[in-house]
Amino acid sequence: MASTAILSFLLLFSLITLSFALDMSSGRSNKEVMTMYQKWLIKHQRVYNGLGEKDERFQTFKDNLKFIDKHNAENHTYKVGLNEFADMSDEEYRMYLGTKSNNIKNKISSERYAYKTDDNDILPKSVDWRWAVGSIKNQGSCGACWAFSTVAAIEAINKIVTGSSKNLSVQELVDCDRIRNSGCEGGYIYEALEFVVNNGGLDSEEDYPYQEQDGTCDEGKKNSKVLSIDDYELVPRYNENALKRAVAHQPVVVQIEAYENSFKLYKSGVFTGYCGTNLDHAVVVVGYGSENGVDYWLATNSWGTNWGEDGYFKIQPYQKTQMLVTSS
């Protein structure tokens, strides 16, 4: 009897010791989590105002780490990881979105729709326009993805057509395209394209640099255009066959629903998570292909090169997106 009692005591003692040593929700020791957090703080240059905010941020970080560990231990076609969004609340993350899309059918003539019917193109098995894409930009906490995607598409089609690279001003769109767009508060891609056409083009990034905030339109800067487009066309919404034909010819601006934890923390692979119809983010599809038997669209984001695969991501087809394409 005595030996049984001692064994029970030792077992209980071991369990109590373990509870202090591990964060039981994640399987990692508290020391390990704190070490990861401190390294993450240095990498992303985070400085908090007080102990209360630091505690709250650390809890969000731990929750995201738990989600990451669970996801990556499962059988998914993509991985997630600790990126710059790892300590952000849902409300803060929303600031990195910002595209608008309502009533587009009533705003644009049907004549603008390209690739409506099968033109019997013999399409390549895979396409990759990354060579034509300029440097991956970072919009920061300004919800100007609509402007970044517009600029990225124009820069790419210019490189394809002319062979030369132009780094165009996003800030000019943020400051000056104010008829229906709202700068860092969001905007419409087709309105941005209308602005570029009617404005006679855009200035260079060097002449009109990005500020990560709304500003006043600088008429002096916006008069030195370095690149213009004649017009733009649209791919029919929800038609991925048409999108594939368009992407075979050039990069295409699309809108997606990005408000999802797995997309926010995306690291690599083919994203097969939830993608709804609340179109809140604009990106540029720059190719398509297949990875480990899973087809994908290849797209560039505007969250810098530390997000995703050096600023790019792959997403499985058959997601409901609204597609727009620029035309040089």
Side-chain angles (χ1 to χ4, degrees), residues 99-113:
T99 191
K100 301 178 181 180
S101 61
N102 60 311
N103 296 327
I104 190 170
K105 287 192 298 185
N106 299 326
K107 300 296 182 181
I108 299 177
S109 166
S110 61
E111 295 178 358
R112 285 199 181 275
Y113 284 87

Side-chain angles (χ1 to χ4, degrees), residues 99-108 113 149 187-191 193 233-240 243 252-257 275-285 319-325:
T99 191
K100 301 178 181 180
S101 61
N102 60 311
N103 296 327
I104 190 170
K105 287 192 298 185
N106 299 326
K107 300 296 182 181
I108 299 177
Y113 284 87
S149 57
Y188 300 89
I189 298 168
Y190 62 91
E191 292 285 357
L193 292 167
E233 296 174 316
L234 286 86
V235 178
R237 60 168 80 185
Y238 310 145
N239 186 334
E240 290 187 297
L243 177 60
V252 179
V253 185
V254 304
Q255 294 173 230
I256 63 173
E257 179 175 328
C275 192
T277 58
N278 179 27
L279 308 180
D280 54 16
H281 190 52
V283 297
V284 183
V285 174
Q319 308 293 337
K320 289 187 176 181
T321 59
Q322 178 176 302
M323 302 101 181
L324 291 141
V325 55

Side-chain angles (χ1 to χ4, degrees), residues 40 111 117 137 151-152 221 242-243 252 255 259 273 291 300 309:
W40 182 90
E111 295 178 358
T117 59
K137 298 180 174 69
V151 165
K221 291 179 179 178
L243 177 60
V252 179
Q255 294 173 230
Y259 188 67
E291 182 174 282
T300 177
E309 297 184 351

Side-chain angles (χ1 to χ4, degrees), residues 256-301:
I256 63 173
E257 179 175 328
Y259 188 67
E260 174 69 23
N261 211 36
S262 54
F263 186 82
K264 175 177 71 175
L265 299 172
Y266 168 87
K267 183 177 181 181
S268 63
V270 181
F271 181 80
T272 53
Y274 175 78
C275 192
T277 58
N278 179 27
L279 308 180
D280 54 16
H281 190 52
V283 297
V284 183
V285 174
V286 296
Y288 59 81
S290 180
E291 182 174 282
N292 299 322
V294 181
D295 292 339
Y296 64 78
W297 298 111
L298 174 65
T300 177
N301 207 340

